[in-house]
Amino acid sequence: MSVVTRRDEQAARTRERIVEAAVDAFAERGFRGASTRDIASRAGANQGLITYHFRTKDELWRAAADRIFGMLRTSLIARLASSETEDPRERAREQIREYVRYAAAHPELFRMMIEEGKDGGERMQWLVDTHVRPMYDEFVRSADLGDGGFDSSLLPHFHYVLAGASSLIFAVAPECRRLTGLDPETEAAVETHAEVVARLLVP
Amino acid sequence: MSVVTRRDEQAARTRERIVEAAVDAFAERGFRGASTRDIASRAGANQGLITYHFRTKDELWRAAADRIFGMLRTSLIARLASSETEDPRERAREQIREYVRYAAAHPELFRMMIEEGKDGGERMQWLVDTHVRPMYDEFVRSADLGDGGFDSSLLPHFHYVLAGASSLIFAVAPECRRLTGLDPETEAAVETHAEVVARLLVP
DNA sequence: GTCTATAATTAGATAGAC
DNA sequence: GTCTATCTAATTATAGAC
């Protein structure tokens, strides 16, 4: 049947570069603000290639979203498996710390959630159904186990408290630097933020 | 000198309508995503009028930002003055609840902070210097007084934890509805969220 | 002051050479 | 596969009639 040629590999690499450039561009400027010409330029490729590999800007956006959320999922799963402590509260804290560390390393995710979540458009619906709901279900499950189960009607509130408290400082890192003088992207700041959030949510 | 004519009043009302439409449009779509034609259309006015009243899209954006942050400031000051409890911790909680209520009523503010704070552009710098820093200074002052003063290097973290935890659920209300079934814009949900945030931050 | 008409850019998508 | 050239539509800002 099909044979993987050198040309196929080169094309796959080009496609990858475009997706990575798209992740950055969409996170920085949003769907409308990012232009396919700019994305192609960042990837060192031609604008026509975007049409060739992805057909439309919308499909390119979906490929970028797949990449962002796929990375989060594998990262969280890896850490969950390697947890060593027995105390359920300390385990919950470590999970929160890991979530904060990911938010620091990948502010794109939070920016994309805000960008699309604020309106009820098709991209938001696709994002929720495809990527956010599986993660939210996991959050609900671990919250139920971890704390002996509190009023489940509070879970949506806790979810958005956790997400907002963990991510905002990294999503607006340039603002944080100018406003407070603190660079939230240093490792020390990330660990401090992780500890603050973990201790507030699991006292 | 100058006399306020009926025509002046009409012009002032037109200007106001344009500013209000701009607040909505910029919050929904960001600076790039919002078009002056759309803003004029929402205001029931002509696109040429934006140039007449504001010269550029950038100046219109500044007028919209002035309006958003001006409303927050007057709202918070009014509530601070009317506080009745003596217990400093309960006073701090009431302040947080009021912040959450404002975030619920005006998700535009949070959306604008994210939209501009994520890059280091001129609009972010103007926004921080003009509107955010005075509010942050007030936050630092009241945090020092309220809790007998903790490590001040943690203040930036607490600030962004408070802002993110309070605002995210309302900033992405359509997503919240689809993901969890909860409509965060109902009064009951707002009060629940206010209580959750206040109790987490001031146990 | 408010409007219409339009100039100058820039966008996403297409066609076709190589 | 990758590129250049181009089409159509939408953008901000301007010019000028009323």
Side-chain angles (χ1 to χ4, degrees):
Chain A
M1 307 295 197
S2 73
V3 177
V4 175
T5 69
R6 203 164 283 133
R7 198 180 198 184
D8 290 332
E9 291 169 15
Q10 169 61 23
R13 275 196 295 274
T14 300
R15 207 190 125 101
E16 268 304 288
R17 286 207 319 279
I18 293 175
V19 171
E20 281 174 25
V23 165
D24 293 341
F26 285 131
E28 282 177 24
R29 313 193 175 190
F31 182 79
R32 288 177 191 241
S35 78
T36 56
R37 275 182 167 80
D38 175 52
I39 291 170
S41 165
R42 291 182 197 225
N46 188 277
Q47 192 230 349
L49 277 180
I50 289 183
T51 306
Y52 175 77
H53 283 291
F54 303 94
R55 273 189 43 84
T56 67
K57 187 183 183 181
D58 218 80
E59 281 196 37
L60 172 59
W61 179 86
R62 281 173 166 74
D66 285 341
R67 159 158 286 247
I68 289 179
F69 279 82
M71 286 166 69
L72 170 59
R73 178 171 281 200
T74 57
S75 167
L76 286 188
I77 287 176
R79 288 296 181 144
L80 268 180
S82 73
S83 181
E84 291 176 356
T85 48
E86 288 292 329
D87 176 23
R89 298 182 71 80
E90 184 52 29
R91 267 184 70 101
R93 284 192 206 102
E94 188 50 34
Q95 216 167 325
I96 291 173
R97 289 191 201 97
E98 199 54 34
Y99 185 85
V100 172
R101 291 185 194 110
Y102 188 87
H106 300 283
E108 317 90 62
L109 187 139
F110 185 65
R111 288 181 189 145
M112 190 172 266
M113 274 183 55
I114 292 268
E115 174 72 23
E116 302 303 330
K118 66 193 179 188
D119 64 58
E122 275 189 21
R123 286 192 301 278
M124 180 276 275
Q125 297 184 18
W126 177 88
L127 199 59
V128 168
D129 296 342
T130 309
H131 290 299
V132 184
R133 197 177 331 267
M135 281 180 40
Y136 181 71
D137 289 344
E138 182 61 36
F139 165 78
V140 169
R141 199 155 31 241
S142 67
D144 271 346
L145 293 176
D147 223 330
F150 28 45
D151 187 348
S152 70
S153 72
L154 294 180
L155 284 175
H157 298 280
F158 283 126
H159 169 72
Y160 285 102
V161 164
L162 172 61
S166 299
S167 312
L168 178 60
I169 194 172
F170 307 112
V172 298
E175 185 206 271
C176 179
R177 278 191 288 273
R178 190 174 184 91
L179 177 64
T180 72
L182 172 74
D183 182 356
E185 288 172 332
T186 63
E187 201 187 317
V190 173
E191 287 305 313
T192 301
H193 200 74
E195 194 60 27
V196 165
V197 175
R199 288 287 162 184
L200 282 175
L201 267 61
V202 185
Chain B
M1 307 293 199
S2 73
V3 178
V4 175
T5 70
R6 203 164 282 132
R7 200 180 199 183
D8 290 333
E9 291 169 15
Q10 170 61 23
R13 275 195 295 273
T14 300
R15 208 191 123 100
E16 267 306 287
R17 285 206 319 278
I18 293 175
V19 170
E20 281 173 25
V23 166
D24 293 341
F26 285 131
E28 282 176 23
R29 314 194 175 189
F31 181 79
R32 287 176 192 245
S35 77
T36 56
R37 274 181 167 78
D38 175 52
I39 292 170
S41 165
R42 290 182 197 224
N46 187 276
Q47 191 231 349
L49 277 180
I50 289 182
T51 306
Y52 175 76
H53 283 292
F54 302 94
R55 272 190 44 84
T56 68
K57 187 183 183 181
D58 217 81
E59 281 197 37
L60 172 59
W61 178 87
R62 280 173 166 74
D66 285 342
R67 159 157 287 248
I68 289 178
F69 279 83
M71 285 166 67
L72 170 61
R73 177 170 282 201
T74 58
S75 166
L76 286 188
I77 287 177
R79 289 296 181 143
L80 268 181
S82 74
S83 181
E84 291 176 355
T85 48
E86 288 293 328
D87 176 23
R89 297 182 74 78
E90 183 54 28
R91 267 185 71 100
R93 284 192 206 102
E94 188 50 35
Q95 218 168 326
I96 291 173
R97 290 191 201 98
E98 197 55 34
Y99 186 84
V100 172
R101 291 185 195 110
Y102 188 87
H106 301 283
E108 316 90 63
L109 187 140
F110 186 66
R111 288 182 189 144
M112 189 172 267
M113 274 183 56
I114 292 269
E115 174 72 23
E116 301 303 332
K118 66 193 178 188
D119 65 57
E122 275 190 19
R123 287 192 301 278
M124 179 278 272
Q125 298 185 17
W126 177 88
L127 199 60
V128 168
D129 296 342
T130 310
H131 290 298
V132 183
R133 199 181 322 272
M135 281 180 42
Y136 181 72
D137 289 343
E138 182 61 36
F139 165 78
V140 169
R141 201 155 27 242
S142 67
D144 271 347
L145 293 175
D147 223 332
F150 28 46
D151 187 346
S152 68
S153 71
L154 295 180
L155 285 174
H157 299 279
F158 283 126
H159 169 71
Y160 285 102
V161 164
L162 171 61
S166 300
S167 311
L168 178 60
I169 194 172
F170 308 112
V172 297
E175 185 207 270
C176 179
R177 278 190 288 273
R178 189 174 185 92
L179 177 63
T180 71
L182 172 74
D183 181 355
E185 288 172 333
T186 63
E187 201 185 319
V190 173
E191 287 306 313
T192 301
H193 200 75
E195 194 60 25
V196 165
V197 175
R199 288 286 162 185
L200 282 175
L201 266 62
V202 185

